[in-house]
């Protein structure tokens, strides 16, 4: 059976990992680390400032383009009008050397464009096929390429911003903790070893080691994501520059 998009069964394990990672980053960013920033930086990070909104809009933008990349059907126009519930024929190599010959797909049984490719994972022809992304559980083609590109780019920028925030908290924790205790809820706390999570709505008291261990764990996860997505972004920037370069 052909798959329609990234929500079609079977779902991919890496797809679940991507969403869990995104939720962890969002939860810890806005529930733990950003509330510890000094007042003016906290407003900027939350996206309240008109001129310097960063993190809040960035996370929302990433979620939107991620959903668009997953939900888009990147198949050829002639494939999209067909009935996806119809089983695909079995490819017979004794009759045809290739799945697509003379711009005709013997599996989809339709005429396709010049740069189309039949994806074995999705079992359909993709317009301007780039690759099958297990993290999206969907193919990347011309119909969702820019959503995919924006998804990767926004993730890299968002992870970089979060890494800066966490490293600032670590440095400020060593240099002077008063800058991290500007929230009014800290006025009722006299123990310097006690910190608050989930400010300002649901403050939960925790000890300093919990804060430091959580920050270190998220920072490691952040750096791993930056290394993985960073090289992917650089590769696609190179492809865009190469494709747009004059002959």
């Amino acid at each position: 059976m052909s798959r329609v998009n990234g929500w079609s069964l079977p779902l991919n394990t890496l797809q679940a990992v991507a969403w869990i990672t995104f939720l962890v980053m969002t939860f810890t960013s806005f529930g733990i680390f950003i509330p510890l920033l000094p007042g003016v930086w906290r407003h900027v990070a939350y996206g309240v400032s008109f001129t310097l909104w960063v993190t809040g809009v960035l996370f929302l933008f990433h979620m939107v383009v991620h959903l668009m990349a997953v939900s888009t059907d990147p198949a050829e126009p002639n494939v999209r009008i067909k009935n996806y519930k119809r089983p695909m024929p079995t490819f017979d190599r004794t009759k045809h050397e290739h799945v697509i010959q003379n711009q005709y797909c013997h599996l989809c049984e339709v005429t396709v464009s010049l740069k189309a490719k039949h994806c074995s994972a999705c079992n359909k022809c993709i317009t301007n096929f780039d690759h099958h992304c297990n993290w999206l559980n969907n193919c990347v083609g011309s119909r969702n390429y820019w959503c995919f590109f924006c998804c990767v780019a926004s993730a890299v920028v968002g992870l970089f911003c979060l890494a800066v925030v966490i490293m600032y908290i670590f440095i400020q924790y060593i240099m002077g903790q008063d800058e991290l205790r500007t929230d009014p809820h800290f006025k009722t706390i006299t123990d310097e070893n006690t910190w608050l999570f989930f400010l300002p709505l649901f403050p939960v008291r925790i000890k300093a080691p919990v804060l430091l261990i959580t920050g270190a764990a998220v920072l490691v996860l952040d750096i791993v994501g930056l290394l993985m997505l960073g090289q992917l972004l650089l590769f696609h920037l190179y492809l865009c520059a190469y494709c747009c370069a004059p002959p």
Side-chain angles (χ1 to χ4, degrees):
M1 305 294 292
S2 298
R3 302 176 64 255
V4 180
N5 52 37
W7 304 116
S8 300
L9 298 177
L11 299 179
N12 195 290
T13 303
L14 292 180
Q15 183 182 20
V17 172
W19 277 104
I20 291 173
T21 303
F22 173 75
L23 293 175
V24 168
M25 292 299 185
T26 304
F27 184 76
T28 54
S29 295
F30 296 97
I32 299 176
F33 304 121
I34 290 178
L36 296 180
L37 296 176
V40 60
W41 294 109
R42 185 165 63 246
H43 294 315
V44 170
Y46 273 129
V48 176
S49 171
F50 178 76
T51 57
L52 296 175
W53 45 266
V54 179
T55 313
V57 173
L58 191 61
F59 273 62
L60 179 61
F61 176 76
H62 172 78
M63 184 179 69
V64 170
V65 292
H66 190 124
L67 288 172
M68 292 175 64
V70 173
S71 303
T72 300
D73 182 359
E76 282 278 298
N78 290 339
V79 175
R80 295 198 304 272
I81 63 177
K82 296 183 65 177
N83 183 6
Y84 278 102
K85 295 181 180 180
R86 182 177 66 85
M88 297 289 286
T90 302
F91 182 65
D92 189 353
R93 291 193 177 275
T94 62
K95 296 181 179 180
H96 308 287
E97 184 178 357
H98 302 288
V99 175
I100 299 178
Q101 291 179 312
N102 299 321
Q103 293 183 237
Y104 181 83
C105 178
H106 297 291
L107 286 178
C108 295
E109 297 179 333
V110 296
T111 301
V112 297
S113 60
L114 186 61
K115 294 183 179 180
K117 180 180 178 181
H118 191 94
C119 174
S120 58
C122 292
N123 204 13
K124 62 185 179 183
C125 285
I126 308 300
T127 303
N128 292 338
F129 179 86
D130 186 86
H131 70 287
H132 181 85
C133 180
N134 290 324
W135 299 93
L136 298 177
N137 196 33
N138 197 15
C139 277
V140 176
S142 58
R143 297 195 75 222
N144 63 346
Y145 178 80
W146 287 109
C147 291
F148 162 79
F149 181 84
C150 292
C151 178
V152 174
S154 60
V156 170
V157 178
L159 288 172
F160 177 78
C161 291
L162 178 57
V164 171
V165 169
I166 296 176
M167 286 188 290
Y168 170 83
I169 290 176
F170 278 148
I171 294 172
Q172 202 61 53
Y173 181 89
I174 298 173
M175 301 297 294
Q177 299 181 10
D178 290 341
E179 291 294 324
L180 303 178
R181 293 174 172 269
T182 58
D183 189 278
H185 290 85
F186 279 106
K187 293 181 179 180
T188 60
I189 299 177
T190 56
D191 182 10
E192 293 184 355
N193 196 41
T194 299
W195 293 82
L196 295 174
F197 278 5
F198 314 126
L199 292 170
L201 299 178
F202 307 104
V204 176
R205 296 194 177 198
I206 53 94
K207 294 299 181 179
V210 178
L211 172 66
L212 298 177
I213 292 174
T214 302
V218 175
L219 183 59
V220 170
L221 182 62
D222 190 296
I223 293 174
V224 171
L226 273 176
L227 292 175
M228 294 175 60
L229 292 173
Q231 63 177 354
L232 181 62
L233 177 61
L234 290 176
F235 175 70
H236 280 274
L237 285 173
Y238 167 77
L239 290 180
C240 291
Y242 178 78
C243 293
C244 295

